[in-house]
Amino acid sequence: EVQLVESGGGLVQAGGSLRLSCAASGFTLDDYAIGWFRQAPGKEREGVSCMDVSDGSPYYADSVKGRFTMSSDNAENTVYLQMNSLKPEDTAVYYCAADPLVCLTGSDTIDLNFGSWGQGTQVTVSS
């Protein structure tokens, strides 16, 4: 079955960096879209980044564009999210997800309706 395991979260000061990893098994990355999402307490889940792995060109939410970079290592079946210039408002549980369809909705926003989800990893950015 499709399995996703996130890692790399932690506590970092504002302006710092973290790299999240999403280890995938049970499917071929090249056939899927992989997305990164986050949810803070009391807030709605939001799409952060998404990539159709076969294309290799990620999409980013406006709130993270220019600061976050998504990449994949197909040989290791792993997707990464490099997060730079972190802000306190980036604090959330971060999830990766996989879906055999494309990343975006008809309105060109990241689709939240992914089929398979990891367990999440906590990112906390202090002031």
Side-chain angles (χ1 to χ4, degrees):
E1 72 278 16
V2 173
Q3 289 188 308
L4 302 166
V5 180
E6 303 95 335
S7 62
L11 175 64
V12 65
Q13 289 185 294
S17 298
L18 286 172
R19 189 179 74 161
L20 306 184
S21 298
C22 175
S25 62
F27 67 101
T28 301
L29 282 179
D30 194 60
D31 296 331
Y32 277 72
I34 306 295
W36 285 99
F37 305 83
R38 66 186 182 187
Q39 188 166 25
K43 297 182 179 180
E44 296 180 347
R45 182 169 294 184
E46 61 177 331
V48 174
S49 182
C50 188
M51 178 169 63
D52 295 314
V53 178
S54 62
D55 294 337
S57 298
Y59 303 95
Y60 300 99
D62 288 342
S63 59
V64 307
K65 195 172 297 181
R67 299 188 297 121
F68 291 10
T69 303
M70 188 176 179
S71 62
S72 65
D73 184 339
N74 289 9
E76 298 294 331
N77 282 343
T78 301
V79 174
Y80 302 96
L81 184 68
Q82 178 68 45
M83 305 186 295
N84 298 326
S85 301
L86 283 162
K87 305 174 181 179
E89 52 262 43
D90 295 318
T91 295
V93 177
Y94 283 70
Y95 301 87
C96 65
D99 197 275
L101 301 179
V102 298
C103 287
L104 304 181
T105 68
S107 59
D108 292 331
T109 59
I110 296 174
D111 191 357
L112 300 180
N113 297 316
F114 274 52
S116 301
W117 294 80
Q119 299 300 307
T121 185
Q122 176 71 47
V123 171
T124 303
V125 184
S126 66
S127 302

